[in-house]
Amino acid sequence: QAMEIGDSNMEETSDPAEAAPEQIDEAVERVREMADKLDILLVKFMKNCDSHCSKGPRHSKSFFQLILNLFDRYILRTRNTKFTQYIIFHVCRKKAEFVDAYLERLLQYSLSDSLPLEIRLRAAEYIASFLARALYIRVDSVEST
């Protein structure tokens, strides 16, 4: 038997369509609140990225390396992430050298015989996703990488 969306106090039902309308309204409201909080966090994070990237070349490069290392450690190794890649896309937008470094890293991973096939495939998927979505990428960045 299924529990209704995210509330352990809701009664068990065999069919979510049988849930009381007020239970559904409460669940929808909680989802909206969570989405609003996530939007606020992402806006703050993006502003923080912008601030770090405008503090000078040394600081912005150091910040980019931090983001790239976090990407390597957590995002690349996690299945079915949908939107977290846009964090690094946003940071790469700040400098062409970030685009080059990101693409180079992903290309190295996708061609490495020492990494598991799953990581190599995911790296190739991120390359394709980045090239398809990041309209700010210069052709010479792709050619040189």
Side-chain angles (χ1 to χ4, degrees), residues 12 20 41-42 52 54 57 59-60 103 106 117 122:
E12 289 187 32
L41 286 171
L42 284 172
H52 281 287
S54 66
H59 186 83
S60 63
L103 286 173
L106 289 173
L117 180 60
R122 207 167 293 133

Side-chain angles (χ1 to χ4, degrees), residues 67-126:
I67 296 294
L68 191 57
N69 290 338
L70 291 171
F71 176 84
D72 289 350
R73 183 183 283 161
Y74 299 107
I75 298 172
L76 186 62
R77 287 157 176 34
T78 304
R79 282 189 187 169
N80 299 324
T81 59
K82 294 182 179 156
F83 305 109
T84 52
Q85 65 185 341
Y86 293 103
I87 293 169
I88 198 156
F89 288 11
H90 181 78
V91 176
C92 284
R93 172 180 229 136
K94 301 300 172 188
K95 296 189 183 224
E97 68 186 83
F98 295 169
V99 171
D100 296 344
Y102 179 60
L103 286 173
E104 187 175 312
R105 176 88 54 104
L106 289 173
L107 191 57
Q108 287 172 350
Y109 287 165
S110 66
L111 298 175
S112 173
D113 291 333
S114 63
L115 289 173
L117 180 60
E118 185 176 354
I119 299 297
R120 295 186 343 230
L121 289 172
R122 207 167 293 133
E125 290 169 356
Y126 276 110

Side-chain angles (χ1 to χ4, degrees), residues 1 11 14 19 34 59 93 126 142:
Q1 293 193 356
E11 294 180 28
S14 58
M34 188 64 81
H59 186 83
R93 172 180 229 136
Y126 276 110
V142 176

Side-chain angles (χ1 to χ4, degrees), residues 125-138:
E125 290 169 356
Y126 276 110
I127 291 171
S129 177
F130 189 56
L131 294 177
R133 289 175 177 83
L135 301 177
Y136 54 85
I137 298 174
R138 297 185 334 251

Side-chain angles (χ1 to χ4, degrees), residues 1-20:
Q1 293 193 356
M3 294 293 286
E4 295 307 313
I5 302 172
D7 188 354
S8 60
N9 295 329
M10 289 185 182
E11 294 180 28
E12 289 187 32
T13 65
S14 58
D15 183 3
E18 294 176 11

